[in-house]
Amino acid sequence: MEKMSRVTTALGGSALTGHTMHCHLDAPANAISVCRDAAQVVVAGRSIFKIYAIEEEQFVEKLNLRVGRKPSLNLSCADVVWHQMDENLLATAATNGVVVTWNLGRPSRNKQDQLFTEHKRTVNKVCFHPSEAHVLLSGSQDGFMKCFDLRKKDSVSTFSGQSESVRDVQFSIRDYFTFASTFENGNVQLWDIRRPDRCERMFTAHNGPVFCCDWHPDDRGWLATGGRDKMVKVWDMTTHRAKEMHCVQTIASVARVKWRPECRHHLATCSMMVDHNIYVWDVRRPFVPAAMFEEHRDVTTGIAWRHPHDPSFLLSGSKDSTLCQHLFRDASQPVERANPEGLCYGLFGDLAFAAKESLVATDSGRKPYAGDRRHPIFFKRKLDPAEPFTGLASSALSVFEMEPGSGSMSWFVDTAERYALAGRPLAELCDHNAKVARELGRNQVAQTWTMLRMIYCSPGVVPTTNLNHSVGKGSSCGLPLMNSFNLKDMSQGLGSETRLDRSKGDTRSDTVLLDSSATLITNEDNEETEGSDVPADYLLGDVEGEEEELYLLDPEHAHTEEPEYVLPQEAFPLRHEIVDTPPGPEHLQDKAESPHVSGSEADAASLAPVDASFSLISVSHALYDSRLPPDFFSALVCDMLRFYAEQGDVQMAVSVLIVLGERVRKDIDEQTQEHWYTSYIDLLQRFCLWNVSNQVVKLSTSRAISCLNQASTTLHVNCSHCKRPMSSRGWVCDRCHRCASMCAVCHHVVKGLFVWCQGCSHGGHLQHIMKWLEGSSHCPAGCGHLCEYS
Amino acid sequence: MFVARSIAADHKDLIHDVSFDFHGRRMATCSSDQSVKTHSGSVWRVTWAHPEFGQVLASCSFDRTAAVWEEIVGESNDKLRGQSHWVKRTTLVDSRTSVTDVKFAPKHMGLMLATCSADGIVRIYEAPDVMNLSQWSLQHEISCKLSCSCISWNPSSSRAHSPMIAVGSDDSSPSAMAKVQIFEYNENTRKYAKAETLMTVTDAVHDIAFAPNLGRSYHILAIATKDVRIFTLKPVRKELTSSGGPTKFEIHIVAQFDNHNSQVWRVSWNITGTVLASSGDDGCVRLWKANYMDNWKCTGILKGNGSPVNGSSQQGNSNPSLGSNIPNLQNSLNGSSSGRKHS
């Protein structure tokens, strides 16, 4: 008989069909239970007790079991269970402590069959024996469990949990005589139905009440329990001591737990409060639910899988007065949304990358992706219950570190530390910074600095000792190069000490540089191509306007050049007629000489003839004073700064801004400047370049910036003798009238750097204290304190 | 160009996010394994606050909460002296659904935190007292109408740019709605209002990131969806009279790459906002860089397991630097918070 029923209920060729659907109930549901035939569901609640037929498209109310005129508390159900062997038999647990059985086979409207009024308080749970037709078990708030034989009027046996309240009772599927009960104190007890005197086994399963339990349907002695501690635990009851196999952390207290049919490791849970969703978990992946049903708007109170052999239909009742049928394939899958990868750029260009291991697996023969198809991850696969679990997903975390010198941010740090921003004449600052940039291989930036020097250091400002270099400049800038402007900068940059520096940098160009201006061209070209950060033609494009003027200088030198210099020039298109300005013939010789002279000796000024300087003056006069005052360039320089900023090199923008000071400040609006400053300072602080950042703050003219380092600068000091706060200014304590800032080592007043021990407030000259603490760890003042200096 | 090094992070499930701190010396990771029982759900994202506010982390989780953590170094008389441990300072429980992203606002805005959740609400919290990390007040709630997956603050510190948040949605509903919305703070109404919607992005967005703005006048936004996209947002100069109302932007898509041939999960900018790294389902990290013409090109491919990928020849930054300033990351990781928080 029993076998028969099993066979008939087993899912044959005709699978269940249906949709995700819901129907409105008249009242909140407390519990649901499914008929053996998977076609009907009973919904019980405080004021509802109905049977619905589950049809293809909808739920159809079939029977209302709440009959009779006056409402009886017997009908207020806390739990309901449908007998799994007898389609006509139901049992309910009433909130007044009554256990009621219902026989649908009764011909009258009232299907109530038997009433057991033995419990004193609410019955929380009723449970039919899975294979014995007449055995019913109940668990109540009063702490007792009772076993009823439906053929008898009273309970067969009473089990006392010796504890507060029974929350759940479940017959074991594996063991005919065994049932499990869960308690509000966190215990789970195992009973033999034949031995009501004491429980077989007891263990503490949860912290706080255990609300539910469920035996694994596949005879494995596994028991799942859910508690208020938000956890679902799976216990192996076959071993001598109950062993925790799995633990699933949910986000709210677990009200119900039901193993999913045909899926060995899946179970469904719903929560008692806060959370209205139903989750299906794979216990081997206890952190992310495999599926999530979000239909309910209020707490889900009852869940039941529709058919004991069909894993895809889940029914649920809720306090929001709806009954739902969920289809597993319609569930949202949080795992799908879960990001399998993490990626973060570090400060120095390191990349941290965490990815699911299957994604980065080394199998090179992996099939290429077809279109947009994602690599299927476990839960997305076709649900095949027999399929073995592929294992817990795990991630590989790796960090790609920049190899030193291959594009990490060290150039930024070096530049920040080595740039000179103030305290020297503009020309020197520019030269210095150009040198720094060049040494770091940032030729474009170096070019810019030299250009700036050219633009803003009018000859009048240039110290006279530099005159000979200006001569050099004059001669080379005469070359009608493609970008004569840059070339000119170049030679300008070759001024006094720069030449020496250059010799360190690239020796190749250095020697030839001044001898043959022609080689300058090639050198120039190299530099242009090397500098990749900033496009060369940008500069070219922008200076084109000036070229014409600059070429006015050309003739002089073109004529002065010796033939071998002229020759390479022809490789370049001469954009400007050379004859414009009549060359001063008397300069010719000087011009030809001067580069050599300046190239050989640093103090060649003595040799540089007066004519040379004269020519320079005339040149620069023509260039800067009468035609192109520095103001002319300022718009250009501003553009350039903006360009650098937009290229992500705010360092350059701010440095130039500081170095040039008033010369460009007025042309850039305050907000932009402030933006640059704050960005740069932020960047410096990221790299822990506190000194540089402070210097920048100090040098900035923007009020919003310069007040940055004026906040929280008050230092509260206590007197080292009386330990009281020093109230007045100065270093003499009001109370003990002694000078507080005595060095504990040399007993002199400390002016300048003073170092304190925070523990005993003694201190002194930094040097003295350092020296003292090298030899001794005690306070030099003799107070016995073990000072620490680090 | 890169040396790959794998780190054992001891996570038992997928790692969903990694995050470097402000100085690039420490790294936090978060995983589905709930980081030693501090959240009761998968921890989706983790992010560092500016160190000015202390060593502070925020995390968000499937359990509908976001949490703020602070690292405490043991007091001198304690036996834990010198040892650091992480203390949960607050739990933000306003969301009714999974909190999918959490981000600290740029420093100049104070200690603020934005979260977004699957129910489509972006919440902005502020700690009025930066010394008291356990007190956060909910300042704004922005409804996006779409399940949110990621947010990004505009990092610009310029006064010309009002606070701005971009929100991405991974809503998989077939209705082709724009999945990226940009909200801007309006000084007059003291509210966040929608400034723009990127109509062209209709696929689920997994990650979104504004590039660090170091003095740029416009904004760059990278989006990880089924491909990598880079947008520029140029603020249209406001009329002096109409100071109210949201800023209008000229939006251009400057790059779109489907080289991953799959979903792109993460995008991350380098510190200067010049190189974008993206990672996709192909298990590779790709680096993108713009040339001066604003043409974005792939400059490198890194395979997740460190093995070289053909065509990953580098030109990189082409700034051969003299000093090597790589922090010893492994050392700094030891004893730091690689995702493990001891509550």
Side-chain angles (χ1 to χ4, degrees):
Chain A
M1 164 71 197
E2 184 204 330
K3 277 263 160 93
M4 282 287 289
S5 68
R6 279 274 170 189
V7 169
T8 48
T9 51
L11 215 55
S14 60
L16 289 175
T17 54
H19 298 93
T20 293
M21 59 187 181
H22 66 90
C23 84
H24 187 74
L25 309 171
D26 304 324
N30 274 346
I32 62 168
S33 186
V34 191
C35 177
R36 185 184 67 166
D37 63 5
Q40 295 175 85
V41 59
V42 58
V43 182
R46 194 167 278 275
S47 51
I48 183 174
F49 189 23
K50 285 181 181 172
I51 292 176
Y52 285 86
I54 310 164
E55 296 188 351
E56 182 78 24
E57 301 285 343
Q58 58 185 347
F59 290 102
V60 175
E61 184 180 330
K62 232 183 145 194
L63 188 62
N64 189 353
L65 290 157
R66 271 179 84 92
V67 289
R69 253 167 292 149
K70 62 173 190 224
S72 159
L73 270 181
N74 296 347
L75 293 168
S76 161
C77 306
D79 191 29
V80 62
V81 63
W82 203 318
H83 202 293
Q84 285 307 296
M85 289 158 63
D86 188 344
E87 288 179 13
N88 285 329
L89 197 54
L90 287 124
T92 57
T95 47
N96 61 355
V98 179
V99 175
V100 192
T101 58
W102 309 78
N103 186 356
L104 302 180
R106 281 168 72 112
S108 69
R109 268 186 72 220
N110 192 347
K111 309 288 185 190
Q112 189 170 320
D113 196 17
Q114 264 179 298
L115 231 73
F116 300 100
T117 48
E118 294 189 25
H119 285 294
K120 294 186 180 62
R121 295 182 64 190
T122 302
V123 179
N124 285 323
K125 199 79 186 177
V126 282
C127 177
F128 279 114
H129 195 278
S131 53
E132 193 61 61
H134 305 286
V135 178
L136 176 68
L137 192 65
S138 68
S140 159
Q141 198 73 15
D142 61 9
F144 291 100
M145 295 145 282
K146 285 178 190 290
C147 184
F148 304 97
D149 188 323
L150 300 185
R151 293 162 295 195
K152 295 179 183 169
K153 281 231 173 338
D154 296 312
S155 61
V156 181
S157 46
T158 302
F159 310 87
S160 168
Q162 309 285 345
S163 159
E164 305 156 39
S165 309
V166 184
R167 294 309 299 231
D168 200 356
V169 284
Q170 290 287 337
F171 273 110
S172 165
I173 295 164
R174 173 178 174 264
D175 196 339
Y176 185 87
F177 295 109
T178 308
F179 72 88
S181 56
T182 68
F183 293 86
E184 272 193 358
N185 61 2
N187 286 347
V188 171
Q189 295 181 349
L190 234 60
W191 291 84
D192 187 318
I193 203 157
R194 297 162 296 185
R195 294 191 56 185
D197 51 331
R198 51 182 289 272
C199 65
E200 298 265 283
R201 196 192 285 179
M202 183 169 87
F203 60 94
T204 304
H206 288 269
N207 208 346
V210 187
F211 290 133
C212 53
C213 65
D214 195 31
W215 289 92
H216 197 281
D218 291 344
D219 283 19
R220 303 208 352 204
W222 278 15
L223 180 72
T225 59
R228 197 174 64 188
D229 59 0
K230 305 179 183 177
M231 290 202 247
V232 175
K233 291 183 180 174
V234 178
W235 306 88
D236 184 359
M237 308 299 279
T238 54
T239 51
H240 179 61
R241 292 188 52 172
K243 197 172 105 197
E244 186 182 321
M245 306 285 291
H246 299 285
C247 178
V248 173
Q249 174 82 56
T250 71
I251 67 175
S253 57
V254 182
R256 309 268 176 188
V257 56
K258 286 275 183 255
W259 286 99
R260 186 171 174 212
E262 309 288 320
C263 290
R264 188 155 276 185
H265 291 97
H266 283 199
L267 48 79
T269 66
C270 68
S271 150
M272 187 149 281
M273 54 190 76
V274 183
D275 191 0
H276 311 154
N277 299 343
I278 303 164
Y279 301 99
V280 179
W281 304 83
D282 187 307
V283 293
R284 293 159 304 180
R285 192 171 185 184
F287 310 115
V288 197
M292 180 163 86
F293 301 102
E294 300 166 298
E295 279 84 1
H296 287 299
R297 301 272 77 86
D298 202 341
V299 174
T300 307
T301 48
I303 50 175
W305 293 95
R306 185 169 159 192
H307 190 278
H309 293 282
D310 188 312
S312 45
F313 291 90
L314 181 70
L315 299 165
S316 68
S318 160
K319 283 249 193 284
D320 64 1
S321 307
T322 53
L323 174 67
C324 275
Q325 172 171 271
H326 311 278
L327 236 66
F328 198 79
R329 64 158 192 270
D330 292 340
S332 70
Q333 303 189 337
V335 169
E336 283 292 290
R337 296 251 180 116
N339 213 321
E341 288 175 347
L343 179 70
C344 186
Y345 235 118
L347 190 60
F348 294 88
D350 318 312
L351 266 172
F353 177 51
K356 199 168 129 178
E357 257 161 7
S358 63
L359 292 179
V360 298
T362 40
D363 54 329
S364 51
R366 208 166 40 144
K367 288 192 293 283
Y369 290 99
D372 201 7
R373 179 84 185 103
R374 279 191 47 189
H375 190 60
I377 60 177
F378 170 69
F379 289 105
K380 193 153 186 197
R381 279 185 198 156
K382 187 168 69 72
L383 263 167
D384 179 4
E387 188 181 35
F389 188 59
T390 48
L392 202 63
S394 63
S395 289
L397 174 64
S398 49
V399 172
F400 300 103
E401 285 181 14
M402 280 284 189
E403 275 168 1
S406 65
S408 67
M409 288 296 286
S410 55
W411 61 268
F412 176 89
V413 179
D414 284 352
T415 312
E417 279 171 344
R418 292 170 57 189
Y419 266 3
L421 298 178
R424 285 195 255 171
L426 176 62
E428 276 181 48
L429 290 178
C430 289
D431 287 344
H432 176 86
N433 294 343
K435 188 188 98 188
V436 169
R438 195 167 293 118
E439 282 175 12
L440 292 172
R442 308 178 68 214
N443 295 299
Q444 194 63 54
V445 174
Q447 287 288 325
T448 308
W449 282 112
T450 42
M451 264 172 69
L452 289 171
R453 187 200 144 116
M454 279 299 294
I455 295 171
Y456 288 101
C457 299
S458 61
V461 181
V462 178
T464 45
T465 50
N466 284 350
L467 275 182
N468 60 326
H469 315 123
S470 313
V471 172
K473 172 200 87 182
S475 65
S476 55
C477 93
L479 288 172
L481 292 178
M482 271 206 315
N483 62 0
S484 61
F485 193 69
N486 281 352
L487 176 63
K488 183 166 57 85
D489 306 334
M490 217 32 214
S491 51
Q492 173 72 327
L494 290 175
S496 54
E497 86 278 7
T498 317
R499 182 177 306 127
L500 295 173
D501 298 325
R502 271 192 67 83
S503 66
K504 276 184 267 165
D506 39 7
T507 44
R508 179 183 58 79
S509 62
D510 174 55
T511 47
V512 245
L513 198 54
L514 286 172
D515 300 337
S516 112
S517 339
T519 42
L520 250 182
I521 300 162
T522 54
N523 181 37
E524 192 70 37
D525 277 345
N526 286 343
E527 302 229 337
E528 287 298 341
T529 47
E530 274 163 25
S532 70
D533 260 1
V534 185
D537 38 342
Y538 176 86
L539 292 170
L540 284 177
D542 271 306
V543 297
E544 247 161 14
E546 282 78 62
E547 279 181 16
E548 306 241 329
E549 270 81 11
L550 294 171
Y551 280 126
L552 293 181
L553 301 172
D554 295 347
E556 289 183 30
H557 312 293
H559 286 272
T560 59
E561 305 294 1
E562 291 156 21
E564 66 255 44
Y565 294 127
V566 179
L567 191 62
Q569 291 169 19
E570 293 169 357
F572 300 89
L574 295 179
R575 295 223 207 139
H576 206 280
E577 54 277 73
I578 290 169
V579 283
D580 264 5
T581 334
E586 68 276 29
H587 294 161
L588 282 179
Q589 286 311 319
D590 303 325
K591 280 291 155 54
E593 299 294 317
S594 54
H596 294 280
V597 170
S598 52
S600 54
E601 288 168 38
D603 55 346
S606 56
L607 280 179
V610 187
D611 299 319
S613 55
F614 169 70
S615 79
L616 162 80
I617 289 162
S618 62
V619 163
S620 52
H621 186 79
L623 179 57
Y624 295 119
D625 292 345
S626 64
R627 303 193 186 187
L628 293 173
D631 277 351
F632 179 89
F633 293 99
S634 60
L636 229 122
V637 171
C638 293
D639 274 353
M640 179 201 74
L641 295 188
R642 288 204 181 88
F643 170 78
Y644 273 113
E646 313 226 318
Q647 290 289 314
D649 190 2
V650 73
Q651 181 177 49
M652 186 65 188
V654 172
S655 303
V656 171
L657 201 58
I658 291 175
V659 167
L660 293 183
E662 288 301 334
R663 294 174 186 85
V664 288
R665 197 175 296 134
K666 56 185 182 300
D667 296 312
I668 300 171
D669 63 302
E670 189 77 6
Q671 273 190 352
T672 311
Q673 284 189 39
E674 208 179 299
H675 189 188
W676 290 351
Y677 274 119
T678 51
S679 306
Y680 186 43
I681 289 164
D682 186 68
L683 211 51
L684 289 170
Q685 291 180 347
R686 269 181 185 260
F687 285 98
C688 301
L689 298 165
W690 311 111
N691 289 336
V692 184
S693 117
N694 200 39
Q695 195 196 5
V696 170
V697 170
K698 211 168 137 188
L699 291 172
S700 79
T701 48
S702 165
R703 200 180 304 125
I705 304 301
S706 52
C707 70
L708 277 182
N709 62 357
Q710 284 165 25
S712 318
T713 49
T714 316
L715 202 63
H716 296 279
V717 181
N718 284 9
C719 171
S720 64
H721 302 293
C722 61
K723 307 266 162 68
R724 299 250 173 76
M726 306 258 293
S727 49
S728 66
R729 274 175 227 160
W731 293 103
V732 177
C733 176
D734 292 345
R735 290 188 180 79
C736 50
H737 302 289
R738 282 206 273 176
C739 187
S741 60
M742 299 280 274
C743 175
V745 179
C746 68
H747 299 285
H748 287 288
V749 176
V750 182
K751 290 171 186 162
L753 275 183
F754 191 103
V755 60
W756 279 279
C757 169
Q758 291 184 345
C760 63
S761 73
H762 293 116
H765 293 103
L766 177 62
Q767 297 295 327
H768 293 165
I769 297 291
M770 276 168 75
K771 210 169 188 179
W772 177 272
L773 287 174
E774 272 170 22
S776 163
S777 59
H778 287 271
C779 175
C783 69
H785 186 256
L786 281 166
C787 299
E788 259 188 42
Y789 177 80
S790 52
Chain B
M1 178 183 187
F2 285 104
V3 186
R5 177 187 284 166
S6 64
I7 293 172
D10 286 344
H11 280 300
K12 297 194 197 73
D13 206 320
L14 287 185
I15 295 174
H16 298 303
D17 198 14
V18 288
S19 173
F20 275 109
D21 77 345
F22 187 73
H23 299 299
R25 299 189 191 281
R26 308 214 290 180
M27 196 167 71
T29 61
C30 67
S31 156
S32 271
D33 71 0
Q34 300 160 12
S35 297
V36 200
K37 297 284 169 289
T38 51
H39 277 288
S40 48
S42 300
V43 184
W44 296 138
R45 309 270 321 220
V46 60
T47 182
W48 293 84
H50 192 278
E52 189 175 296
F53 306 114
Q55 293 297 306
V56 178
L57 278 174
S59 60
C60 64
S61 163
F62 182 71
D63 69 0
R64 305 163 172 199
T65 62
V68 178
W69 308 83
E70 189 178 18
E71 188 182 30
I72 301 294
V73 178
E75 293 297 317
S76 56
N77 49 2
D78 205 18
K79 68 168 181 278
L80 286 169
R81 167 171 195 176
Q83 289 182 12
S84 70
H85 55 113
W86 288 85
V87 179
K88 191 194 264 192
R89 285 301 186 200
T90 194
T91 308
L92 307 169
V93 293
D94 296 283
S95 172
R96 290 301 199 77
T97 53
S98 170
V99 182
T100 47
D101 201 356
V102 59
K103 289 274 160 59
F104 282 103
K107 187 198 80 175
H108 61 93
M109 291 173 62
L111 190 49
M112 284 178 106
L113 189 64
T115 66
C116 72
S117 52
D119 56 3
I121 296 178
V122 175
R123 293 180 175 82
I124 296 170
Y125 299 88
E126 182 171 16
D129 176 7
V130 294
M131 300 305 288
N132 181 4
L133 290 172
S134 49
Q135 204 180 58
W136 291 80
S137 55
L138 179 59
Q139 297 282 343
H140 302 283
E141 276 197 344
I142 312 168
S143 175
C144 298
K145 307 215 168 50
L146 279 174
S147 158
C148 302
S149 60
C150 47
I151 44 175
S152 177
W153 287 93
N154 181 359
S156 169
S157 57
S158 167
R159 277 187 290 129
H161 304 143
S162 31
M164 191 196 291
I165 297 184
V167 186
S169 164
D170 62 351
D171 200 308
S172 47
S173 63
S175 62
M177 272 183 78
K179 295 294 195 298
V180 175
Q181 300 172 51
I182 294 165
F183 295 91
E184 195 189 38
Y185 185 67
N186 189 319
E187 283 295 340
N188 300 337
T189 58
R190 291 166 189 271
K191 281 205 171 82
Y192 281 86
K194 191 187 283 189
E196 287 293 346
T197 309
L198 301 185
M199 300 307 290
T200 52
V201 184
T202 52
D203 299 287
V205 172
H206 304 296
D207 200 7
I208 193 165
F210 274 110
N213 187 335
L214 302 176
R216 240 184 285 106
S217 58
Y218 58 94
H219 315 297
I220 304 180
L221 183 66
I223 292 170
T225 167
K226 69 180 200 305
D227 46 20
V228 186
R229 294 185 200 184
I230 303 170
F231 287 89
T232 57
L233 288 86
K234 291 197 170 78
V236 175
R237 196 166 284 278
K238 262 189 212 170
E239 304 304 321
L240 286 173
T241 49
S242 66
S243 53
T247 320
K248 287 274 166 267
F249 291 96
E250 230 178 85
I251 301 178
H252 294 291
I253 181 160
V254 293
Q256 183 168 4
F257 300 108
D258 56 359
N259 300 35
H260 282 291
N261 267 330
S262 59
Q263 292 290 324
V264 180
W265 287 107
R266 285 283 189 250
V267 284
S268 177
W269 289 97
N270 75 339
I271 198 68
T272 51
T274 49
V275 184
L276 176 74
S278 67
S279 72
D281 256 345
D282 58 353
C284 290
V285 178
R286 284 166 207 270
L287 304 176
W288 311 97
K289 192 174 189 300
N291 68 2
Y292 63 94
M293 298 287 287
D294 222 17
N295 278 332
W296 291 79
K297 293 254 165 60
C298 181
T299 63
I301 305 170
L302 302 163
K303 204 130 193 326
N305 53 14
S307 63
V309 172
N310 291 338
S312 66
S313 60
Q314 285 305 316
Q315 67 266 32
N317 215 341
S318 80
N319 275 322
S321 53
L322 302 176
S324 70
N325 219 330
I326 301 287
N328 190 334
L329 215 127
Q330 192 64 49
N331 280 351
S332 57
L333 266 173
N334 290 341
S336 88
S337 64
S338 62
R340 326 208 83 208
K341 303 162 203 153
H342 309 281
S343 55

